[in-house]
Amino acid sequence: MSTLFVLAKTPYVTNDVTRVIRIAMSMRKKNEDVGIVLIQDAVLTGIQGSANRFGNQLADAMRTGVRIYLLEPDAAARGLIPERVLPGIEFVDYSRWVDITVEEYEKVANWT
Amino acid sequence: MTLVKWLIVFRHAPFGWVNAVEAIRLSAAAATEHQLELLFVDDGVFCLMRGQAPKGIGYPAIDKSLRMLKELDVKYYADSESLVERGLKEDDIDPRYRIEITSSDEVAHIMAEKKVVLCF
């Protein structure tokens, strides 16, 4: 059954991001569909740049088929523009977040 | 009242925590009465990003206050390591803050010479 995780904090203050990415990648090994929505401070995980080791973890996850979404209003609030974000991450607004929750995933694991 | 050296330290990302807004409130008061400097370290460096637009999430902006403090000649230090490990480059930072990028050794020195250090 497909799972959508929600993360809300930066990966520097909590191990949530690392933990969820690990779980998500394990799910992919079992051919499960899995997505991660980055909201609030967690949007900052998606900054592109090799020194951002958590961004590299997200990139690894995407290569295995984990879908990563990023809440646009939270990105805009923090000055994070699409050009600065890892390629492959999908920007969503609140409406689209609701859609993917209801239509594309069977359950939500709110890891906030 | 004698001028006292203050350091206010920003350690948290803005908006997800109230810390940045609270730190700015205190900074505004301290800047007018004493000799204030600001240090941005760990997630605090995210407060310095240019182009912030928090109106869309219903939060107060911090950039106006941070610019206003510069007019009072408050120095802004940003920890080099904190910027690098977050993937932030000089281009990502608002140039109006005229930040001084510092090493850990310099941070230690900056902190040691202060009478008051408050961390948010």
Side-chain angles (χ1 to χ4, degrees):
Chain A
M1 288 187 64
S2 59
T3 309
L4 183 65
F5 290 94
V6 183
L7 294 171
K9 288 268 170 265
T10 65
Y12 308 96
V13 298
T14 168
N15 72 341
D16 293 0
V17 173
T18 304
R19 174 70 63 198
V20 163
I21 287 176
R22 217 186 283 168
I23 295 172
M25 288 173 73
S26 285
M27 287 176 167
R28 285 302 303 145
K29 280 207 191 110
K30 301 191 173 121
N31 226 5
E32 296 279 355
D33 283 337
V34 57
I36 302 174
V37 186
L38 304 173
I39 70 169
Q40 295 170 22
D41 290 345
V43 299
L44 295 164
T45 314
I47 291 177
Q48 188 174 30
S50 59
N52 174 7
R53 66 190 186 278
F54 300 103
N56 294 337
Q57 288 176 18
L58 284 178
D60 289 343
M62 284 193 279
R63 269 189 289 272
T64 69
V66 175
R67 296 190 19 222
I68 314 283
Y69 310 91
L70 190 148
L71 194 58
E72 195 277 333
D74 278 324
R78 290 157 178 79
L80 183 59
I81 52 178
E83 291 77 23
R84 286 298 278 119
V85 168
L86 285 165
I89 293 184
E90 182 183 340
F91 272 60
V92 298
D93 59 14
Y94 287 106
S95 176
R96 170 117 179 91
W97 180 15
V98 168
D99 287 345
I100 60 173
T101 301
V102 168
E103 291 162 18
E104 294 183 30
Y105 294 88
E106 282 153 315
K107 65 181 178 298
V108 177
N110 187 11
W111 209 279
T112 60
Chain B
M1 207 191 316
T2 46
L3 272 184
V4 167
K5 288 189 178 176
W6 282 53
L7 184 71
I8 289 178
V9 184
F10 288 68
R11 299 176 49 238
H12 290 83
F15 315 125
W17 308 80
V18 299
N19 297 43
V21 169
E22 293 295 318
I24 282 172
R25 285 216 191 99
L26 184 62
S27 297
T32 58
E33 310 234 356
H34 294 287
Q35 213 174 312
L36 174 68
E37 295 183 344
L38 302 186
L39 170 67
F40 298 85
V41 67
D42 296 329
D43 276 359
V45 295
F46 287 127
C47 293
L48 300 167
M49 285 176 73
R50 72 202 301 174
Q52 289 176 1
K55 207 162 152 195
I57 56 170
Y59 279 66
I62 59 172
D63 57 346
K64 196 166 160 204
S65 304
L66 287 176
R67 284 202 306 281
M68 190 261 315
L69 284 170
K70 288 307 289 185
E71 287 172 26
L72 299 173
D73 286 327
V74 177
K75 278 195 186 172
Y76 291 4
Y77 301 106
D79 175 62
S80 168
E81 227 176 84
S82 305
L83 289 165
V84 168
E85 70 179 346
R86 284 157 182 75
L88 293 178
K89 306 190 165 67
E90 231 174 302
D91 259 355
D92 296 315
I93 305 298
D94 196 318
R96 292 171 294 189
Y97 299 152
R98 301 194 306 276
I99 62 164
E100 293 176 43
I101 297 178
T102 53
S103 66
S104 310
D105 285 346
E106 285 164 332
V107 164
H109 170 71
I110 289 162
M111 221 178 256
E113 60 146 28
K114 302 289 184 282
K115 179 81 165 50
V116 174
V117 175
L118 293 171
C119 301
F120 284 82

